Amino acid sequence: MAQQSTLDVIVSLAKRRGFVFQSSEIYGGLNGCWDYGPLGVELLKNLKEEWWKAMTYRDDIEGVDASILMHPRVWEASGHVANFTDPMIDNKQSKGRYRADTLIEDYIAKLEKNGKTQKAQHVAARLAAAREPEDFYNIIVEEEITDPVSGTKDWTPVRYFNLMFKTFVGPVEDTNSVVYLRPETAQGIFVNFKNVMESSRQKVPFGIAQIGKAFRNEINTKYFLFRTREFEQMEMQYFIKPGTEGEQFERWREERLQWFLNLGMKRESLRLKPHDKLAHYAAAAADIEFMFPFGWGEVEGIHSRTDFDLSNHEKFSGKKLEYIDTVTKERFVPYVIETSVGASRSFMAFLCNAYDVEKVKNAANEEGGAGEGEERTVLRFHPRLAPVKAAVFPLVKKDGMPEFADKLYRDLQKSFKVDYDESGAVGRRYRRQDEIGTPFCLTVDGDSLTDNTVTVRHRDSMQQERINADAVKEYIWKALL
Ligand code: GAP
């Protein structure tokens, strides 16, 4: 049997344990869309809460929650109607449809892998300069890039494809009723810049943060949650005085990298990468990339957007969006540093980061679990991200242990997402919790009934200690600080 890739194993664990399901699975699924199950929704909620606290529980950033459907002129002003496009190409034999730039990038990666560094650099430079559909087409034809499916070079011309999903407001489907599902949450922030600044009495520099769904009609979806058509973003626009963008860009790049590290990302699995090619709105940009099982991939973009968005919204709406410094009386349209991270994509990154299979070294007191030297699967989530914070087990289903355990479980449930399990050997129960990343397992045994203590077993070290049952809540709180 062919060996499964690490990503396949993680996707299958995610389904089996209720993190993520294919959307509309009983109908054969809908490409590029996923549903979060009972544990996934907890993990996603915890992740968003961590971001929300880091970004808005402070003096200089306010939150908003704008609507998904916005006035269609917003997307003309933002440049998305004209520029939010990907170059698309079809292979006539296989009928495969591809992003032309991705085909070329894959070809460059192959050249690099085969040690043809100079040639790879040459093609990369051509790709970076490509603007018109013919530029991409010429590279594909001249480099004799073949279709990964049919192996042929029978290509259609390249054409640009707009990624915005279109729909209609009201019963008449004509050009006057067209609206778009937002392809980014950022514009809901820009159009509310004045409302937020005035209502919250903020002064530049200050930021506005938002978490919400975004939609992109991607030509190719891939790698599980990495590139999907419906996803969630966590974006923050920091409004600053022109001239301070260099220092603010650097500051946010570092602050955002630190956020991932604080939540347990391994430093060697993260890197900062400046953009070679800038989006239509950006003056400088860098990505935070994570080492996914398929290779490095962007999880967050930090963009120096100048006054591109606010100035365009001024032009298109006819409303002034300037800032007046009450002390110096200076008037200016603020510049913006944006931090934009995918909630769904970073969910996948945290899942991959947490996934581990290890040989058990200390199997003491783990009766019925994997023995010494056997393998266990463990999700090493930071306790704040873990979907379930603790699991309570009565050692056996008699002698008052279930009643003691149930009381502890009900008490903890008032504060945390906790689990209760009384079936099978304790070691097996530990393994079930390891596989979903529960940091603490609490076992109630015969001694608990006399001295009111329970055993705490730690997910990562598998070490055990005995603590008073009344101190358990405090114990878990401390781990979440
Ligand atoms: N407002 C700027 C903006 O939207 P972006 O680089 O296009 O910038 C930001 O997107 C983040 O949104 C990405 O780093 C990624 O985490 C997430 N993202 C973008 N497209 C996505 C997709 N198709 N599926 C999942 N996540 C996506």
Side-chain angles (χ1 to χ4, degrees):
M1 203 174 78
Q3 223 197 335
Q4 273 192 309
S5 72
T6 306
L7 186 58
D8 288 342
V9 175
I10 293 173
V11 173
S12 123
L13 168 71
K15 179 179 176 189
R16 186 163 44 78
R17 297 308 310 268
F19 283 90
V20 181
F21 309 124
Q22 202 184 3
S23 159
S24 324
E25 191 184 327
I26 59 169
Y27 288 95
L30 179 66
N31 195 273
C33 299
W34 297 87
D35 296 343
Y36 293 85
L39 293 180
V41 77
E42 286 295 323
L43 175 59
L44 186 63
K45 177 184 67 62
N46 294 343
L47 177 59
K48 289 190 285 187
E49 198 172 295
E50 284 305 316
W51 186 86
W52 193 252
K53 280 187 187 161
M55 300 304 268
T56 72
Y57 287 16
R58 50 199 282 165
D59 298 338
D60 59 340
I61 303 182
E62 307 287 345
V64 291
D65 187 2
S67 61
I68 288 173
L69 300 177
M70 302 177 72
H71 196 288
R73 293 275 282 168
V74 167
W75 306 109
E76 289 173 36
S78 68
H80 282 81
V81 172
N83 297 316
F84 197 55
T85 52
D86 278 338
M88 178 170 80
I89 191 166
D90 293 350
N91 186 272
K92 291 185 201 157
Q93 299 295 321
S94 70
K95 309 282 179 235
R97 175 161 288 170
Y98 305 97
R99 265 178 69 169
D101 52 341
T102 308
L103 266 185
I104 301 168
E105 277 163 8
D106 292 348
Y107 171 70
I108 294 169
K110 221 181 283 169
L111 288 174
E112 276 167 354
K113 206 167 144 200
N114 295 334
K116 298 184 176 162
T117 316
Q118 237 180 349
K119 174 111 196 244
Q121 281 169 352
H122 169 71
V123 181
R126 283 188 75 186
L127 177 62
R131 293 286 173 273
E132 301 302 322
E134 304 79 63
D135 300 336
F136 297 96
Y137 182 77
N138 290 341
I139 301 175
I140 290 172
V141 171
E142 284 161 31
E143 295 298 327
E144 303 192 345
I145 297 176
T146 52
D147 174 20
V149 178
S150 68
T152 68
K153 292 175 267 179
D154 202 358
W155 297 109
T156 63
V158 172
R159 58 227 183 275
Y160 271 119
F161 169 77
N162 195 298
L163 301 185
M164 282 198 293
F165 278 101
K166 233 186 229 177
T167 187
F168 303 92
V169 163
V172 186
E173 298 191 0
D174 64 15
T175 47
N176 294 328
S177 59
V178 166
V179 289
Y180 302 95
L181 300 190
R182 64 181 179 199
E184 61 171 16
T185 57
Q187 298 306 322
I189 291 179
F190 287 120
V191 299
N192 278 302
F193 159 69
K194 265 242 146 122
N195 284 337
V196 174
M197 182 173 65
E198 288 172 4
S199 57
S200 58
R201 302 168 64 222
Q202 283 285 359
K203 290 189 168 39
V204 165
F206 78 98
I208 306 178
Q210 171 166 223
I211 299 177
K213 289 261 176 151
F215 303 82
R216 295 183 189 177
N217 201 357
E218 299 281 358
I219 297 167
N220 299 119
T221 59
K222 64 178 176 184
Y223 301 134
F224 190 35
L225 305 174
F226 184 80
R227 178 160 296 122
T228 56
R229 298 203 165 102
E230 175 175 341
F231 55 97
E232 224 167 348
Q233 286 187 316
M234 308 189 284
E235 296 200 294
M236 192 279 298
Q237 321 296 134
Y238 206 68
F239 299 93
I240 57 171
K241 190 173 172 181
T244 60
E245 60 273 22
E247 71 201 67
Q248 290 284 0
F249 179 68
E250 259 174 54
R251 169 218 162 173
W252 279 108
R253 216 177 34 189
E254 296 313 313
E255 195 164 314
R256 292 302 307 146
L257 182 68
Q258 193 57 45
W259 181 79
F260 286 98
L261 297 172
N262 291 350
L263 287 173
M265 281 269 184
K266 298 175 198 97
R267 183 62 189 88
E268 65 275 19
S269 302
L270 289 173
R271 71 176 185 191
L272 276 170
K273 192 156 178 261
H275 280 203
D276 303 327
K277 199 171 170 183
L278 294 173
H280 63 270
Y281 51 76
D287 289 338
I288 297 176
E289 292 191 335
F290 174 74
M291 181 49 117
F292 287 96
F294 58 81
W296 289 104
E298 171 194 341
V299 283
E300 172 153 0
I302 295 100
H303 312 121
S304 179
R305 294 180 76 128
T306 66
D307 61 352
F308 176 87
D309 303 86
L310 287 183
S311 293
N312 276 346
H313 284 306
E314 272 201 336
K315 247 182 263 155
F316 279 73
S317 69
K319 301 281 182 328
K320 279 239 164 294
L321 294 176
E322 63 182 9
Y323 174 76
I324 305 169
D325 189 314
T326 47
V327 180
T328 63
K329 307 289 176 228
E330 278 174 289
R331 286 166 174 265
F332 55 86
V333 176
Y335 272 29
V336 167
I337 303 297
E338 167 183 76
T339 70
S340 174
V341 55
S344 3
R345 197 180 281 183
S346 50
F347 173 105
M348 176 174 165
F350 279 108
L351 186 61
C352 295
N353 182 69
Y355 178 77
D356 192 18
V357 178
E358 71 164 8
K359 287 238 184 312
V360 173
K361 282 193 215 76
N362 174 14
N365 302 322
E366 301 231 337
E367 185 219 334
E372 200 93 1
E374 285 180 36
E375 278 188 347
R376 71 165 181 151
T377 298
V378 52
L379 292 182
R380 300 186 193 278
F381 290 124
H382 189 290
R384 290 208 293 269
L385 293 182
V388 176
K389 307 301 181 202
V392 184
F393 309 154
L395 185 62
V396 287
K397 280 191 255 183
K398 56 180 186 184
D399 301 335
M401 289 181 225
E403 291 75 13
F404 189 110
D406 185 68
K407 187 166 166 286
L408 176 63
Y409 167 66
R410 304 253 161 240
D411 184 42
L412 293 176
Q413 203 173 42
K414 291 181 194 143
S415 309
F416 316 107
K417 181 81 182 161
V418 281
D419 213 347
Y420 181 88
D421 189 358
E422 57 178 25
S423 64
V426 169
R428 221 165 276 140
R429 289 182 245 170
Y430 285 151
R431 295 294 174 270
R432 285 201 282 269
Q433 296 300 328
D434 287 346
E435 213 186 29
I436 62 168
T438 308
F440 307 110
C441 291
L442 309 159
T443 305
V444 171
D445 56 20
D447 290 344
S448 308
L449 301 160
T450 51
D451 65 6
N452 200 39
T453 61
V454 295
T455 301
V456 183
R457 183 267 197 182
H458 295 253
R459 176 196 67 201
D460 294 342
S461 64
M462 295 171 69
Q463 294 295 313
Q464 301 188 2
E465 61 181 312
R466 199 84 194 167
I467 65 167
N468 194 289
D470 299 336
V472 168
K473 202 179 260 185
E474 179 77 17
Y475 192 95
I476 300 173
W477 275 127
K478 277 200 181 131
L480 302 180
L481 286 178

